[in-house]
Amino acid sequence: VEAELMRAQRLESLSLLAAGLSHDLRNILQPLLIMPDLLKARTDDPQLHHLADIIAECGRRGHEMAESMLSFVRGSRNTSEHICLVHLFEGVELLLRSNLPAKVTLHLEVAEGLVVDANYTELQQVLLNLSLNGIQAMPDGGRLTLRAAAAADTQGEDWLQITVSDEGIGMDAQTLSNLFNPFFTTKATGTGLGLISCKRIVEGAHGTIQVDSTPGVGTRFEVLLPMQAVADAADTLDAPTIAGAGQ
Ligand code: ADP
């Protein structure tokens, strides 16, 4: 219990630090987002254009990092609503397909009528984070599968099960034991905040997240969320995302 408490306190101070940092960082980076275009407008020199593009790209990446730090810090303070899984998967598919590497194929399977209580944007973020990690783990291509189904645990409780599976590089024991630690990354341009924010969001919605991975074979993330009772969810089906907001 004490270790758990210390962990929570460390995470809390880290959150405060990250909130301050990301706020300042966004302000500092603002000129980097705008000025490269102003510079380019003043010269035809292709080499200067190239340099300006690199500066702009660094600005965008820094901005992205600040954004993901902020959404990590915000955690799960958002309101929850009834979410229709078919609708959620449609949105995720649209975003993923808009930028899918040619050698990666995408498969989505979702059972009709599944509903869960969570924040729509946050849950979408979880699926996108897990999917993008999966895609990045398959530099030579492969199949990314997202599945949503009902699942009962050993006590007969009903859960909504969402899995994201890839056929990528997989993870060794060292990576597996660190992957939910903030700032842990094996990527040159990673933030190491993707999975910890997935975990915070899922746990904020009273769920769990687990991973199963084999080096050279692939990785499967499983998210379990409390299943919404069918009667309670009936009014959700026509208006998938907005019915009954707040908690
Ligand atoms: P980031 O993607 O910025 O590195 P994450 O918290 O999302 O941060 O992931 C942490 C690390 O976990 C990654 O750097 C990678 O080593 C590992 N990882 C996450 N998802 C996968 C996956 N699907 N396949 C292989 N490794 C993964």
Side-chain angles (χ1 to χ4, degrees), residues 5 24 49 52 56 93-94 101 114 136 155 166 177 179 191 212:
L5 204 67
D24 291 350
H49 276 231
E93 176 165 24
L94 202 70
L114 295 175
Q136 286 166 3
Q155 277 101 49
D166 66 61
S177 61
L179 84 174
T191 61
D212 194 2

Side-chain angles (χ1 to χ4, degrees), residues 215-234:
V217 176
T219 299
R220 176 179 178 274
F221 279 91
E222 179 193 60
V223 171
L224 291 178
L225 292 164
M227 182 72 88
Q228 199 55 35
V230 176
D232 185 19

Side-chain angles (χ1 to χ4, degrees), residues 92-199:
V92 168
E93 176 165 24
L94 202 70
L95 291 172
L96 288 177
R97 287 213 188 277
S98 70
N99 202 6
L100 197 66
K103 286 192 262 174
V104 172
T105 57
L106 189 60
H107 299 267
L108 290 96
E109 294 166 25
V110 51
E112 291 285 333
L114 295 175
V115 175
V116 69
D117 264 357
N119 178 273
Y120 185 84
T121 313
E122 288 183 354
L123 193 54
Q124 188 181 54
Q125 195 59 48
V126 170
L127 296 189
L128 288 174
N129 281 352
L130 296 179
S131 300
L132 293 176
N133 276 344
I135 291 169
Q136 286 166 3
M138 299 190 287
D140 301 325
R143 182 182 166 113
L144 184 79
T145 310
L146 280 75
R147 219 176 253 135
D153 65 17
T154 45
Q155 277 101 49
E157 289 261 355
D158 284 328
W159 294 89
L160 168 73
Q161 180 198 48
I162 305 176
T163 57
V164 179
S165 319
D166 66 61
E167 300 176 332
I169 53 176
M171 288 178 251
D172 56 20
Q174 147 89 6
T175 303
L176 272 174
S177 61
N178 281 302
L179 84 174
F180 288 112
N181 287 339
F183 304 115
F184 173 81
T185 182
T186 58
K187 298 172 193 168
T189 56
T191 61
L193 291 173
L195 287 176
I196 174 81
S197 67
C198 288
K199 193 172 156 80

